């Protein structure tokens, strides 16, 4: 199946199959994410538009009365770079807008292929970066407040909050990853990536994720041009000299260390720039990844590997590659899924792996072999969600909002910060969960068991599981039993009796709807009935409350646990 139309569900099949070691590595923070312009396609201005802007600006500033006009000379250099023929030059009327030129499209696309050389052209008497800073206007263009994050950026932000992306390396000037984080956390600076756009920024205190924008940052350059304008990398000569210039050595050293110590996932990045090739080559000189190691050392999100990506692999693996294994090396490094679907699937998979790890850690009578049935239930829920998943902004927005709401209600029993759209399961990688001392208080392990039980019922055909809306009194999810008379039941998850009390007092849980309240810890002992209260049955429905920890201390097999849980649901 082609990378551009593979489904999220089929992507998960890849992550469960030949790319399972890669998926496990992502969940444990073993990969550095290298980001290129492909992840901002449709958000940041296209090169085709920017090339046309440069040509038209230079053309419109020509003084036809001046035989030595500097803009006329620059335009001729542009046409030379575009390999414009004599016929094309004749048809191109310099007194008419570039958009009206009969060959403007062909000329523009040739310039797109030479974009970094185009930005290396100079205009006599102007700054060396005149075309980038004044014509492209990199600050206003790539830091435009109207530019909003897409699916890729929101998934990267969520994976960052889950603690699985310690290093992101970006060739992009745009702030879309940072804006995605702001969108999910209400601009909580403590959760945002530490943005490095010049060598001195490497000395900043780092947050969970460090985002190194090695070609510079439009927002920082716009806000503080004295400090950051000089670090914008655009022209071919800047890229070529990047690794040899003394001023860049701090960044080169940091990037080289990351390549040598973290496995590589490239998303929307062709790896054609000379500085990227040089950094990977330099890293291989110092510490070489071994071909065949698990998880794979280099993974590219591509339909087919490009020439530069193949060159990178040959340069880093060197004599480990032979004519006999060359094709297999290229195939093993290519996951045929583009970033939107891959990142969506990775997010679902990280959640699944964390929940399964929490099930393995929960106190109770179940042997580890029995817990595997619950883990399979988590995978069933993951796949059920993936079956309906579309890598669209609408789907991702709804997914993150619902997941964040469920996390808040589990921990706190209420929504204290409504502008915070997403909260992770934890900020730990999967292998670090066992060292988190707060798991008991947060009720995460028992909540994972509850989800595993719901997934078991889903896989056995005993009920269906559906999303709830985001209304104040909506459940975390809803369960409907099979059969004509089956009712739809709202399900809530909370950690403790105090959380359950807040669910009621804050108006999240409506007793009259007879919802199901799954509580991680033991249920609170009911207070003695008031002598003035109504005697006998009142006929008013109440929430069905189930303590997962009590069930775990009572049953020693997954089937017995499931049957007891099913009886409590009474579906």
């Amino acid at each position: 199946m082609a990378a551009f139309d593979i489904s999220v569900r089929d992507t998960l099949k890849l992550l469960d199959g030949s790319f399972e070691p890669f998926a496990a590595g992502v969940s444990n923070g073993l990969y550095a994410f290298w980001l290129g312009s492909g992840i901002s396609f449709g958000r940041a201005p296209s090169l085709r538009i920017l090339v046309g802007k440069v040509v038209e600006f230079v053309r419109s500033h020509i003084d036809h009365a001046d035989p030595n006009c500097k803009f006329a000379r620059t335009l001729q250099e542009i046409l030379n770079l575009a390999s414009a023929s004599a016929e094309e030059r004749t048809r191109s009327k310099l007194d008419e807008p570039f958009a009206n030129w009969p060959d403007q499209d062909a000329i523009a696309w040739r310039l797109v292929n030479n974009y970094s050389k185009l930005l290396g052209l100079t205009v006599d008497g102007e700054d060396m970066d005149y075309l980038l800073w004044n014509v492209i206007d990199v600050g206003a263009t790539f830091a435009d407040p109207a530019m909003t994050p897409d699916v890729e950026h929101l998934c990267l932000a969520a994976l960052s909050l889950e603690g699985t992306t310690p290093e992101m390396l970006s060739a992009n000037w745009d702030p879309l990853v940072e804006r995605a984080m702001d969108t999910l956390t209400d601009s909580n600076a403590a959760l945002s990536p530490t943005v490095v756009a010049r060598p001195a920024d490497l000395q900043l205190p780092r947050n969970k994720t460090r985002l190194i924008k090695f070609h510079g940052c439009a927002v920082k350059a716009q806000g503080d041009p004295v400090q950051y304008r000089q670090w914008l990398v655009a022209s071919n000569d800047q890229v070529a000299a990047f690794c040899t210039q003394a001023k860049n050595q701090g960044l080169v050293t940091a990037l080289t260390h990351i390549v040598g110590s973290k496995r590589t996932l490239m998303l929307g990045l062709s790896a054609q720039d000379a500085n990227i090739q040089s950094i990977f080559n330099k890293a291989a000189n110092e510490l070489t990844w071994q071909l065949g190691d698990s998880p794979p050392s280099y993974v590219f999100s591509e339909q087919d590997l490009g020439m530069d990506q193949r060159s990178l692999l040959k340069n880093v693996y060197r004599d480990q590659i032979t004519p006999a294994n060359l094709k297999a090396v290229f195939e093993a490094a290519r996951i045929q899924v583009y970033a939107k679907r891959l990142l969506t699937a990775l997010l679902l998979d990280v959640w699944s792996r964390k929940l399964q790890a929490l099930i393995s850690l929960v106190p109770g009578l179940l042997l580890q072999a029995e817990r595997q049935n619950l883990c399979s239930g988590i995978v069933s829920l993951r796949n059920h969600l993936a079956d309906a998943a579309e890598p669209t902004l609408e789907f991702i927005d709804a997914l993150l909002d619902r997941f964040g709401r469920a996390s808040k209600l589990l921990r706190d029993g209420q929504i204290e910060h409504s502008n915070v759209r997403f909260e992770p399961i934890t900020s730990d990688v999967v292998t670090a969960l066992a060292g988190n001392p707060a798991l008991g208080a947060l009720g995460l392990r028992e909540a994972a068991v509850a989800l595993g039980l719901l997934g078991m019922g889903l896989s056995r055909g005993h009920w269906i599981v559906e999303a709830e809306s985001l209304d104040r009194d909506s459940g975390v999810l809803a369960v409907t039993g099979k059969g004509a008379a089956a009712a739809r039941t709202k399900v809530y998850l909370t950690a403790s009796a105090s959380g359950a009390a807040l669910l009621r007092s804050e108006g999240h849980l409506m007793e009259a709807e007879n919802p199901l309240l799954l509580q991680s810890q033991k249920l609170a002992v009911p207070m003695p009935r008031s002598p003035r209260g109504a005697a006998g049955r009142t006929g008013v429905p109440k929430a069905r409350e189930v303590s997962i920890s009590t069930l775990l201390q009572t049953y020693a097999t997954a089937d017995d646990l499931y049957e007891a849980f099913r009886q409590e649901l009474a579906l």
Side-chain angles (χ1 to χ4, degrees):
M1 188 173 291
F4 57 83
D5 63 4
I6 188 172
S7 68
V8 174
R9 179 70 182 88
D10 284 331
T11 302
L12 283 170
K13 290 177 182 177
L14 290 177
L15 300 182
D16 289 340
S18 58
F19 282 92
E20 192 282 332
F22 160 70
V26 169
S27 72
N28 286 312
L30 301 184
Y31 283 86
F33 285 48
W34 288 75
L35 313 176
S37 60
I39 72 162
S40 296
F41 181 77
R43 285 295 190 265
S46 70
L47 293 183
R48 171 64 182 84
I49 291 174
L50 297 179
V51 160
K53 184 177 182 179
V54 170
V55 178
E56 175 56 22
F57 178 91
V58 174
R59 184 210 66 80
S60 66
H61 282 71
I62 293 175
D63 181 356
H64 296 283
D66 180 2
N68 296 313
C69 177
K70 61 184 180 181
F71 290 103
R73 287 197 299 273
T74 299
L75 183 61
Q76 291 307 310
E77 290 183 332
I78 291 174
L79 293 175
N80 291 340
L81 185 60
S83 299
S85 67
E87 292 79 8
E88 287 175 329
R89 293 171 191 255
T90 300
R91 289 192 294 264
S92 301
K93 305 299 183 183
L94 299 189
D95 58 349
E96 293 185 9
F98 178 60
N100 293 344
W101 291 10
D103 303 297
Q104 57 93 17
D105 206 46
I107 291 171
W109 281 113
R110 283 181 232 141
L111 290 172
V112 165
N113 294 328
N114 290 281
Y115 183 65
S116 60
K117 292 180 180 179
L118 173 65
L119 293 182
L121 297 179
T122 57
V123 177
D124 292 347
E126 304 293 347
D127 291 332
M128 298 295 288
D129 64 351
Y130 179 74
L131 293 182
L132 175 68
W133 189 254
N134 296 85
V135 180
I136 295 292
D137 193 359
V138 66
T141 301
F142 286 90
D144 184 356
M147 193 188 303
T148 56
D150 205 347
V151 170
E152 297 94 329
H153 313 102
L154 290 168
C155 286
L156 287 167
L159 287 167
S160 171
L161 291 168
E162 292 287 353
T164 59
T165 55
E167 302 285 0
M168 293 187 201
L169 306 313
S170 180
N172 300 336
W173 297 318
D174 67 65
L176 291 173
V177 171
E178 303 96 299
R179 285 182 183 173
M181 187 68 77
D182 289 344
T183 296
L184 296 186
T185 66
D186 196 26
S187 302
N188 188 330
L191 299 175
S192 295
T194 300
V195 176
V196 174
R198 57 175 184 161
D201 293 342
L202 291 164
Q203 297 174 323
L204 295 171
R206 64 169 296 165
N207 291 339
K208 203 69 176 179
T209 293
R210 181 171 60 175
L211 173 60
I212 300 181
K213 304 175 80 166
F214 54 90
H215 284 174
C217 175
V219 169
K220 287 183 176 289
Q222 183 185 48
D224 189 353
V226 172
Q227 294 296 327
Y228 287 98
R229 176 179 171 179
Q230 64 180 303
W231 300 105
L232 291 170
V233 175
S235 66
N236 189 62
D237 55 321
Q238 287 177 311
V239 172
F242 186 91
C243 291
T244 57
Q245 288 183 325
K247 71 172 189 175
N248 291 327
Q249 290 313 297
L251 281 176
V252 172
T253 299
L255 293 170
T256 303
H257 171 73
I258 291 168
V259 173
S261 59
K262 290 286 183 185
R263 289 162 169 82
T264 293
L265 169 62
M266 284 198 178
L267 298 159
L269 184 65
S270 67
Q272 68 179 2
D273 290 337
N275 57 345
I276 295 175
Q277 293 282 340
S278 180
I279 286 164
F280 276 80
N281 193 51
K282 178 177 170 59
N285 288 337
E286 299 176 5
L287 186 62
T288 302
W289 289 100
Q290 295 302 304
L291 188 61
D293 278 358
S294 184
S297 306
Y298 304 94
V299 177
F300 300 86
S301 171
E302 293 288 350
Q303 173 66 32
D304 296 296
L305 295 188
M307 183 183 299
D308 297 298
Q309 294 163 336
R310 296 196 299 271
S311 295
L312 185 149
L313 288 173
K314 287 189 283 188
N315 286 334
V316 295
Y317 282 131
R318 300 178 181 180
D319 58 3
Q320 296 182 68
I321 292 182
T322 66
N325 69 8
L326 179 62
K327 183 177 179 181
V329 170
F330 291 161
E331 286 297 308
R334 172 192 66 160
I335 182 166
Q336 287 183 289
V337 188
Y338 288 135
K340 272 186 171 62
R341 291 166 175 81
L342 180 58
L343 289 169
T344 301
L346 282 172
L347 182 58
L348 295 177
D349 191 67
V350 164
W351 289 339
S352 172
R353 290 176 185 273
K354 283 194 172 187
L355 292 170
Q356 292 179 67
L358 289 167
I359 287 171
S360 72
L361 297 170
V362 70
L365 301 178
L366 293 178
L367 297 176
Q368 286 300 326
E370 291 291 330
R371 296 169 190 239
Q372 187 54 45
N373 292 288
L374 294 166
C375 292
S376 297
I378 294 295
V379 175
S380 293
L381 280 181
R382 181 204 71 175
N383 293 344
H384 177 64
L385 181 55
D387 285 338
E390 293 289 342
T392 62
L393 197 57
E394 181 182 15
F395 173 82
I396 289 297
D397 275 338
L399 175 68
L400 296 175
D401 285 343
R402 285 178 170 85
F403 194 93
R405 182 175 182 274
S407 295
K408 294 173 196 173
L409 293 180
L410 173 68
R411 289 181 173 91
D412 304 323
Q414 61 179 327
I415 308 296
E416 288 188 290
H417 306 291
S418 57
N419 290 332
V420 177
R421 293 179 48 197
F422 177 78
E423 287 188 1
I425 296 175
T426 73
S427 61
D428 305 297
V429 297
V430 169
T431 52
L433 283 169
N436 186 332
L439 294 182
L442 295 175
L444 293 171
R445 297 169 299 185
E446 294 81 6
V449 169
L451 292 173
L453 289 167
L454 289 169
M456 286 177 67
L458 177 68
S459 65
R460 296 180 181 189
H462 292 157
W463 50 66
I464 60 174
V465 178
E466 299 174 299
E468 277 274 88
S469 67
L470 294 170
D471 297 331
R472 187 170 189 81
D473 61 348
S474 296
V476 169
L477 49 83
V479 176
T480 305
K482 295 298 181 71
R488 190 176 190 273
T489 300
K490 291 182 180 181
V491 179
Y492 296 83
L493 296 171
T494 193
S496 63
S498 60
L502 280 171
L503 283 175
R504 291 180 168 93
S505 65
E506 294 296 317
H508 297 301
L509 186 145
M510 308 301 291
E511 296 274 8
E513 296 178 335
N514 197 23
L516 179 66
L517 176 56
L518 303 178
Q519 188 172 305
S520 294
Q521 299 169 6
K522 292 181 179 180
L523 304 181
V525 178
M527 296 294 289
R529 186 185 298 276
S530 167
R532 292 189 295 272
R537 297 183 181 272
T538 65
V540 178
K542 296 190 66 176
R544 289 163 283 168
E545 298 187 62
V546 179
S547 165
I548 301 299
S549 61
T550 299
L551 291 179
L552 288 166
Q553 296 300 326
T554 305
Y555 299 99
T557 71
D559 282 339
D560 288 344
L561 180 68
Y562 173 74
E563 287 303 324
F565 178 75
R566 188 181 176 193
Q567 289 180 25
E568 293 282 0
L569 262 65
L571 293 178

